[in-house]
Amino acid sequence: MASVLILGGTGFIARNLLSLLLSPSPDASPITHVKVVDKKHPKMQHLSQQHSNFYNDERVSFSQCDLSRKSMLDKAFSHPL
């Protein structure tokens, strides 16, 4: 079982990585949790319905953080993943 942290988590590459990680059926996937961090909320990113569904998956948690601000780093890297 694995946990994954995705920084810049609502960008083009990250949303496709998230879909790749979660695409297998939940029973077959080794991923137990994905923490997504980005300064923009997924609802503001004009995602396709397919990508939106991945951000709503029960294994995904989202933290809105601006990683260019040192004060936000603890929020981004805090556990649990």
Side-chain angles (χ1 to χ4, degrees):
M1 299 299 178
S3 293
V4 177
L5 172 65
I6 301 177
L7 304 175
T10 61
F12 177 78
I13 292 172
R15 70 181 74 161
N16 287 292
L17 174 61
L18 183 63
S19 67
L20 179 67
L21 292 171
L22 299 178
S23 286
S25 67
D27 297 332
S29 177
I31 304 301
T32 57
H33 189 262
V34 179
K35 182 174 183 178
V36 176
V37 178
D38 202 318
K39 63 183 168 185
K40 294 182 182 177
H41 198 280
K43 291 182 180 179
M44 303 301 292
Q45 288 295 90
H46 307 289
L47 300 172
S48 69
Q49 186 61 48
Q50 178 187 8
H51 284 122
S52 292
N53 291 340
F54 289 116
Y55 287 92
N56 294 323
D57 188 287
E58 63 185 17
R59 297 170 287 174
V60 176
S61 64
F62 178 78
S63 290
Q64 190 168 11
C65 301
D66 182 352
L67 295 174
S68 67
R69 297 176 57 204
K70 188 174 182 175
S71 62
M72 294 285 209
L73 292 178
D74 287 338
K75 182 178 177 183
F77 290 98
S78 66
H79 286 275
L81 277 179

